[in-house]
Short mmCIF file of all heavy atoms in Angstrom, two decimals:
data_model
loop_
_atom_site.label_atom_id
_atom_site.label_comp_id
_atom_site.label_asym_id
_atom_site.label_seq_id
_atom_site.Cartn_x
_atom_site.Cartn_y
_atom_site.Cartn_z
N SER A 270 -11.73 20.94 40.32
CA SER A 270 -12.91 20.08 40.34
C SER A 270 -13.56 20.04 38.96
O SER A 270 -14.12 19.03 38.56
CB SER A 270 -13.92 20.59 41.38
OG SER A 270 -13.39 20.47 42.68
N GLY A 271 -13.47 21.18 38.25
CA GLY A 271 -14.01 21.21 36.90
C GLY A 271 -13.31 20.25 35.97
O GLY A 271 -13.95 19.57 35.16
N ARG A 272 -11.99 20.16 36.07
CA ARG A 272 -11.26 19.19 35.25
C ARG A 272 -11.64 17.77 35.63
O ARG A 272 -11.79 16.91 34.76
CB ARG A 272 -9.74 19.39 35.45
CG ARG A 272 -9.18 20.67 34.88
CD ARG A 272 -9.45 20.88 33.43
NE ARG A 272 -9.02 19.78 32.58
CZ ARG A 272 -9.19 19.75 31.26
NH1 ARG A 272 -9.78 20.77 30.65
NH2 ARG A 272 -8.78 18.73 30.54
N ALA A 273 -11.82 17.53 36.92
CA ALA A 273 -12.23 16.19 37.35
C ALA A 273 -13.62 15.85 36.83
O ALA A 273 -13.91 14.71 36.48
CB ALA A 273 -12.19 16.10 38.88
N LEU A 274 -14.49 16.87 36.79
CA LEU A 274 -15.85 16.65 36.26
C LEU A 274 -15.80 16.27 34.79
O LEU A 274 -16.49 15.34 34.36
CB LEU A 274 -16.68 17.93 36.45
CG LEU A 274 -18.06 17.94 35.79
CD1 LEU A 274 -18.94 16.85 36.37
CD2 LEU A 274 -18.71 19.31 35.93
N ILE A 275 -14.97 16.97 34.02
CA ILE A 275 -14.84 16.63 32.61
C ILE A 275 -14.40 15.18 32.44
O ILE A 275 -14.93 14.44 31.59
CB ILE A 275 -13.85 17.59 31.92
CG1 ILE A 275 -14.45 19.00 31.86
CG2 ILE A 275 -13.50 17.10 30.51
CD1 ILE A 275 -13.47 20.06 31.40
N LYS A 276 -13.45 14.76 33.25
CA LYS A 276 -12.98 13.37 33.17
C LYS A 276 -14.12 12.39 33.45
O LYS A 276 -14.31 11.41 32.72
CB LYS A 276 -11.83 13.13 34.15
CG LYS A 276 -11.30 11.70 34.10
CD LYS A 276 -10.11 11.50 35.04
CE LYS A 276 -9.59 10.07 34.94
NZ LYS A 276 -8.44 9.83 35.83
N ARG A 277 -14.91 12.66 34.49
CA ARG A 277 -16.01 11.75 34.81
C ARG A 277 -17.06 11.71 33.71
O ARG A 277 -17.59 10.64 33.37
CB ARG A 277 -16.66 12.17 36.14
CG ARG A 277 -15.79 11.91 37.35
CD ARG A 277 -16.60 12.01 38.64
NE ARG A 277 -17.13 13.34 38.87
CZ ARG A 277 -16.48 14.32 39.50
NH1 ARG A 277 -15.24 14.11 39.94
NH2 ARG A 277 -17.04 15.50 39.70
N VAL A 278 -17.33 12.87 33.12
CA VAL A 278 -18.32 12.93 32.05
C VAL A 278 -17.84 12.13 30.83
O VAL A 278 -18.59 11.34 30.25
CB VAL A 278 -18.61 14.40 31.67
CG1 VAL A 278 -19.36 14.48 30.34
CG2 VAL A 278 -19.42 15.08 32.77
N VAL A 279 -16.59 12.34 30.43
CA VAL A 279 -16.06 11.63 29.26
C VAL A 279 -16.01 10.12 29.52
O VAL A 279 -16.38 9.32 28.65
CB VAL A 279 -14.67 12.17 28.88
CG1 VAL A 279 -14.03 11.32 27.79
CG2 VAL A 279 -14.78 13.63 28.42
N GLU A 280 -15.59 9.73 30.70
CA GLU A 280 -15.56 8.30 31.02
C GLU A 280 -16.96 7.71 30.99
O GLU A 280 -17.17 6.59 30.49
CB GLU A 280 -14.93 8.09 32.40
CG GLU A 280 -13.42 8.33 32.40
CD GLU A 280 -12.81 8.21 33.79
OE1 GLU A 280 -13.57 8.31 34.80
OE2 GLU A 280 -11.59 8.03 33.88
N HIS A 281 -17.94 8.43 31.49
CA HIS A 281 -19.33 7.96 31.46
C HIS A 281 -19.81 7.79 30.03
O HIS A 281 -20.43 6.77 29.69
CB HIS A 281 -20.22 8.96 32.20
CG HIS A 281 -21.69 8.73 32.00
ND1 HIS A 281 -22.36 7.66 32.57
CD2 HIS A 281 -22.63 9.41 31.27
CE1 HIS A 281 -23.63 7.70 32.21
NE2 HIS A 281 -23.81 8.75 31.42
N LEU A 282 -19.51 8.77 29.17
CA LEU A 282 -19.99 8.71 27.80
C LEU A 282 -19.32 7.59 27.00
O LEU A 282 -19.97 6.90 26.22
CB LEU A 282 -19.75 10.06 27.12
CG LEU A 282 -20.61 11.22 27.64
CD1 LEU A 282 -20.07 12.55 27.13
CD2 LEU A 282 -22.06 11.03 27.24
N VAL A 283 -18.01 7.44 27.18
CA VAL A 283 -17.27 6.45 26.38
C VAL A 283 -17.45 5.04 26.94
O VAL A 283 -17.79 4.10 26.21
CB VAL A 283 -15.78 6.84 26.30
CG1 VAL A 283 -14.99 5.76 25.54
CG2 VAL A 283 -15.63 8.19 25.62
N ARG A 284 -17.22 4.88 28.23
CA ARG A 284 -17.32 3.55 28.83
C ARG A 284 -18.78 3.14 29.05
O ARG A 284 -19.17 2.01 28.76
CB ARG A 284 -16.56 3.51 30.15
CG ARG A 284 -16.63 2.13 30.82
CD ARG A 284 -15.87 2.10 32.14
NE ARG A 284 -14.44 2.20 31.95
CZ ARG A 284 -13.67 3.19 32.40
NH1 ARG A 284 -14.23 4.21 33.06
NH2 ARG A 284 -12.37 3.20 32.18
N GLY A 285 -19.57 4.06 29.57
CA GLY A 285 -20.93 3.71 29.95
C GLY A 285 -21.95 3.79 28.84
O GLY A 285 -22.94 3.06 28.86
N ARG A 286 -21.73 4.68 27.85
CA ARG A 286 -22.74 4.88 26.80
C ARG A 286 -22.22 4.55 25.41
O ARG A 286 -22.94 4.71 24.43
CB ARG A 286 -23.25 6.32 26.85
CG ARG A 286 -24.04 6.63 28.13
CD ARG A 286 -25.35 5.83 28.15
NE ARG A 286 -26.13 6.09 29.36
CZ ARG A 286 -26.15 5.31 30.42
NH1 ARG A 286 -25.41 4.20 30.43
NH2 ARG A 286 -26.90 5.60 31.46
N GLY A 287 -20.99 4.10 25.30
CA GLY A 287 -20.48 3.62 24.01
C GLY A 287 -20.20 4.70 22.98
O GLY A 287 -20.12 4.42 21.79
N ILE A 288 -20.05 5.94 23.42
CA ILE A 288 -19.77 7.03 22.49
C ILE A 288 -18.35 6.89 21.93
O ILE A 288 -17.40 6.62 22.68
CB ILE A 288 -19.94 8.39 23.19
CG1 ILE A 288 -21.42 8.73 23.32
CG2 ILE A 288 -19.19 9.50 22.47
CD1 ILE A 288 -22.12 9.00 21.98
N ARG A 289 -18.23 7.08 20.61
CA ARG A 289 -16.93 7.00 19.96
C ARG A 289 -16.59 8.25 19.17
O ARG A 289 -15.57 8.30 18.48
CB ARG A 289 -16.88 5.76 19.04
CG ARG A 289 -16.97 4.43 19.79
CD ARG A 289 -15.84 4.24 20.77
NE ARG A 289 -15.90 3.02 21.55
CZ ARG A 289 -16.41 2.93 22.77
NH1 ARG A 289 -16.91 4.02 23.38
NH2 ARG A 289 -16.42 1.79 23.43
N GLN A 290 -17.46 9.28 19.27
CA GLN A 290 -17.22 10.56 18.61
C GLN A 290 -17.55 11.69 19.59
O GLN A 290 -18.63 11.68 20.19
CB GLN A 290 -18.10 10.73 17.37
CG GLN A 290 -17.95 9.63 16.33
CD GLN A 290 -18.76 9.96 15.09
OE1 GLN A 290 -18.20 10.32 14.04
NE2 GLN A 290 -20.07 9.86 15.17
N ILE A 291 -16.63 12.63 19.73
CA ILE A 291 -16.82 13.72 20.68
C ILE A 291 -16.51 15.05 20.01
O ILE A 291 -15.48 15.20 19.33
CB ILE A 291 -15.92 13.54 21.92
CG1 ILE A 291 -16.26 12.24 22.65
CG2 ILE A 291 -16.06 14.74 22.86
CD1 ILE A 291 -15.31 11.91 23.80
N LEU A 292 -17.39 16.02 20.19
CA LEU A 292 -17.20 17.39 19.74
C LEU A 292 -17.09 18.26 20.98
O LEU A 292 -18.07 18.47 21.69
CB LEU A 292 -18.37 17.83 18.86
CG LEU A 292 -18.38 19.29 18.37
CD1 LEU A 292 -17.11 19.60 17.58
CD2 LEU A 292 -19.63 19.56 17.54
N ASP A 293 -15.89 18.76 21.26
CA ASP A 293 -15.61 19.53 22.46
C ASP A 293 -15.59 21.02 22.09
O ASP A 293 -14.64 21.52 21.50
CB ASP A 293 -14.27 19.11 23.06
CG ASP A 293 -13.98 19.76 24.41
OD1 ASP A 293 -14.83 20.53 24.88
OD2 ASP A 293 -12.91 19.48 24.98
N LEU A 294 -16.67 21.74 22.43
CA LEU A 294 -16.82 23.14 22.06
C LEU A 294 -16.27 24.05 23.16
O LEU A 294 -16.57 23.85 24.33
CB LEU A 294 -18.30 23.45 21.82
CG LEU A 294 -18.96 22.66 20.68
CD1 LEU A 294 -20.45 22.95 20.64
CD2 LEU A 294 -18.31 22.98 19.34
N GLY A 295 -15.49 25.05 22.75
CA GLY A 295 -14.86 25.92 23.74
C GLY A 295 -13.90 25.14 24.61
O GLY A 295 -13.93 25.23 25.83
N SER A 296 -13.04 24.38 23.97
CA SER A 296 -12.22 23.37 24.67
C SER A 296 -11.21 23.98 25.64
O SER A 296 -10.84 23.35 26.63
CB SER A 296 -11.49 22.50 23.65
OG SER A 296 -10.76 23.30 22.73
N GLY A 297 -10.75 25.21 25.38
CA GLY A 297 -9.77 25.82 26.27
C GLY A 297 -8.38 25.26 26.08
O GLY A 297 -8.13 24.39 25.24
N LEU A 298 -7.46 25.78 26.88
CA LEU A 298 -6.06 25.37 26.76
C LEU A 298 -5.85 23.92 27.18
O LEU A 298 -6.53 23.43 28.09
CB LEU A 298 -5.19 26.28 27.63
CG LEU A 298 -4.90 27.66 27.03
CD1 LEU A 298 -4.47 28.63 28.12
CD2 LEU A 298 -3.81 27.55 25.96
N PRO A 299 -4.93 23.23 26.52
CA PRO A 299 -4.62 21.86 26.92
C PRO A 299 -4.21 21.80 28.39
O PRO A 299 -3.56 22.70 28.91
CB PRO A 299 -3.44 21.47 26.01
CG PRO A 299 -3.59 22.37 24.82
CD PRO A 299 -4.12 23.66 25.36
N ALA A 300 -4.63 20.73 29.05
CA ALA A 300 -4.30 20.53 30.46
C ALA A 300 -3.99 19.05 30.67
O ALA A 300 -4.01 18.27 29.73
CB ALA A 300 -5.46 20.97 31.36
N ALA A 301 -3.71 18.69 31.89
CA ALA A 301 -3.49 17.27 32.19
C ALA A 301 -4.77 16.51 31.89
O ALA A 301 -5.87 16.97 32.21
CB ALA A 301 -3.10 17.10 33.65
N GLU A 302 -4.64 15.36 31.27
CA GLU A 302 -5.77 14.50 30.93
C GLU A 302 -6.81 15.25 30.09
O GLU A 302 -7.89 15.60 30.53
CB GLU A 302 -6.42 13.93 32.20
CG GLU A 302 -5.53 12.97 32.95
CD GLU A 302 -6.25 12.25 34.06
OE1 GLU A 302 -6.66 12.93 35.02
OE2 GLU A 302 -6.43 11.02 33.96
N ASN A 303 -6.44 15.49 28.84
CA ASN A 303 -7.36 16.11 27.91
C ASN A 303 -8.41 15.10 27.45
O ASN A 303 -8.27 13.90 27.66
CB ASN A 303 -6.58 16.65 26.71
CG ASN A 303 -5.66 17.79 27.12
OD1 ASN A 303 -6.09 18.89 27.39
ND2 ASN A 303 -4.36 17.49 27.20
N VAL A 304 -9.46 15.61 26.81
CA VAL A 304 -10.60 14.76 26.45
C VAL A 304 -10.16 13.57 25.60
O VAL A 304 -10.57 12.43 25.86
CB VAL A 304 -11.67 15.60 25.72
CG1 VAL A 304 -12.71 14.69 25.06
CG2 VAL A 304 -12.34 16.56 26.69
N HIS A 305 -9.32 13.80 24.59
CA HIS A 305 -8.93 12.67 23.74
C HIS A 305 -8.09 11.65 24.50
O HIS A 305 -8.18 10.44 24.24
CB HIS A 305 -8.19 13.16 22.48
CG HIS A 305 -6.83 13.72 22.73
ND1 HIS A 305 -6.62 14.97 23.27
CD2 HIS A 305 -5.59 13.19 22.52
CE1 HIS A 305 -5.32 15.20 23.37
NE2 HIS A 305 -4.67 14.14 22.94
#
Side-chain angles (χ1 to χ4, degrees):
S270 295
R272 291 305 305 179
L274 172 62
I275 292 171
K276 180 177 181 180
R277 289 194 296 272
V278 166
V279 172
E280 288 176 341
H281 168 72
L282 291 168
V283 176
R284 180 180 290 117
R286 294 293 179 261
I288 283 293
R289 295 299 178 264
Q290 303 186 107
I291 299 174
L292 176 58
D293 187 0
L294 299 174
S296 53
L298 282 160
E302 293 189 295
N303 294 286
V304 167
H305 70 284

